[in-house]
Amino acid sequence: MKKAMIRFLSITLSLQILFTGYVLAQDLTNLTSDELFTQARNIPKEKANYPKIISTLKLALDKSPDYADIRLFLGRVYTWNDNLDSARFQFNQVIAKEPKNMEAYSAIFDTEYWNGNYSRALDHANQGLLQDPNSSELLIKKAKALNALKDNKQALAVLKDYNKENPTQDQDTVKSYYDLLRKQNTKNLIDLSYEYVHFDKRFDDPWHYTSIDYTRNTSLGSVTGRLIYSNRFRTDGLQGEVEAYPSITKGIYAYVGAAYSRSSIFPRFRGGVSLYYSLPKSFDAETGFRYLDFNPSKTYIYVLALGKYTGNWYFNLKTYISPDVDVFSHSYTFSARYYFSDRFNFIGAQIGAGISPDDRARNIIGEGNLNSYKFGLNYSRDLFSNFTVAATGLWFYEEYRTNEWGNQIGLGISLIRRF
């Protein structure tokens, strides 16, 4: 009896589900194409819902095959769902029947651009501009594709020409992107920096550290020349340095640097090499080494780091490991940055132990196996277009002799001009 009752309830529930589905299908069938379109747009845009949105839009197109807005929305949902060929088909159907439909060119551009097909995206922008040469939206998209294809010069040129020829049309939109592109594609950078370092116990006099950099962005990567002046131990000294960040292959670039000084307050020679790797899920990594020659003391330091981007945040854990502890102890630093926009606009903090060999202001020969702990803050912001002011504060609590500790405070400022 009990089994029969369970079977009866199961059959009843199944029939009820089938009947409800049939009624809902009948309800959808009775809706107009506009009502189906509205219903599809009101479904939450989540991946689990894409099949439902697609089926609703296809039903609407069965009723109105020439309804361009429905077909364009269907193409965009196909794009979100990674059905790229289906998306292209829908957009091309609209273009074939309505060659002057600018939204169709914009939509198919987005499909190609978002998926890294920049040459195809550029072709679609150009086709649309043949129909409407004054479309500011397609002009900006064309510039984006050219910029992605590393043709920055042409990207800037098309926007500049538009601004001249159309002084009253969409100037704010085009000019804003033109200014952004100019900012992103500056070739030159000059950085003037100063740092003041105060000791409460270890040294009687403060340290002064000033540098001027010139960086040139090339097709192979950036190259920097740097001249460093420092006053430490009541002694003046100069050091010259060259460094570069060449691109090796997709997802890998390098750091190569070398410096030389005849002053006793700098290493006689310092050099370094690192490889940076872009990893899945917004991770990156660094492996490399540094070499410091204090004549006669020499040391090698190995570098390992792991970073992670999440939203506007970047987190990094870096360690410097030296097999020769007579000069440098091991160093560990955890840093975090919040980017307001680009790499010149951020606020950050760091905490760690040890002095890194890349901290040029503090590279001096010292006793091994001594401890130090640090905490720092840094802030960088554009004052106006392509002119940045950056400030840093760094506190060390250091063991400068066995069981003798003192504080070290560094304050720095940098003026950066890009052109």
Side-chain angles (χ1 to χ4, degrees), residues 152-324:
N152 309 324
K153 196 173 193 180
Q154 182 63 19
L156 289 166
V158 296
L159 296 175
K160 186 175 182 179
D161 290 344
Y162 180 89
N163 285 331
K164 287 182 179 179
E165 295 170 8
N166 302 276
T168 61
Q169 294 185 30
D170 297 309
Q171 272 284 50
D172 289 342
T173 304
V174 178
K175 187 176 185 305
S176 294
Y177 187 68
Y178 176 71
D179 290 341
L180 176 63
L181 211 56
R182 284 187 62 193
K183 181 179 178 180
Q184 291 176 344
N185 289 289
T186 52
K187 296 288 185 182
N188 306 283
L189 180 149
I190 293 177
D191 181 348
L192 180 62
S193 299
Y194 170 75
E195 184 175 4
Y196 173 89
V197 184
H198 168 76
F199 302 86
D200 65 345
K201 293 182 180 179
R202 185 179 184 184
F203 301 114
D204 294 332
D205 298 302
W207 289 357
H208 303 274
Y209 176 90
T210 303
S211 67
I212 184 168
D213 302 11
Y214 170 71
T215 299
R216 173 73 177 179
N217 289 319
T218 72
S219 58
L220 299 178
S222 66
V223 180
T224 299
R226 179 179 294 115
L227 183 63
I228 303 166
Y229 160 80
S230 185
N231 180 281
R232 296 185 285 197
F233 319 114
R234 299 182 181 179
T235 301
D236 297 325
L238 288 173
Q239 183 181 67
E241 183 173 1
V242 176
E243 63 182 22
Y245 288 87
S247 176
I248 305 300
T249 185
K250 184 177 181 181
I252 301 177
Y253 70 97
Y255 158 78
V256 181
Y260 175 78
S261 176
R262 299 183 66 179
S263 171
S264 61
I265 64 172
F266 285 106
R268 174 63 59 89
F269 177 80
R270 70 181 299 274
V273 174
S274 279
L275 288 176
Y276 299 90
Y277 313 88
S278 296
L279 303 176
K281 299 187 181 299
S282 301
F283 281 92
D284 60 31
E286 176 189 358
T287 59
F289 74 92
R290 305 291 185 264
Y291 170 73
L292 298 174
D293 179 356
F294 285 96
N295 190 30
S297 179
K298 301 174 176 62
T299 190
Y300 293 90
I301 305 102
Y302 299 99
V303 186
L304 293 172
L306 182 67
K308 165 71 173 175
Y309 288 93
T310 175
N312 286 20
W313 286 95
Y314 177 68
F315 301 98
N316 183 271
L317 179 63
K318 179 178 284 192
T319 180
Y320 296 90
I321 302 171
S322 173
D324 179 4

Side-chain angles (χ1 to χ4, degrees), residues 25 36 38 56 89 116 151 155 172 201 238 240 253 324 332 335 362:
L36 288 166
T38 300
T56 305
F89 175 79
D151 194 351
D172 289 342
K201 293 182 180 179
L238 288 173
Y253 70 97
D324 179 4
Y332 307 90
S335 60
R362 294 167 181 81

Side-chain angles (χ1 to χ4, degrees), residues 87-107:
R88 294 180 183 114
F89 175 79
Q90 298 300 330
F91 298 141
N92 284 320
Q93 286 282 94
V94 175
I95 291 170
K97 293 186 177 182
E98 300 180 16
K100 293 187 179 295
N101 190 315
M102 293 299 107
E103 187 180 346
Y105 294 106
S106 179

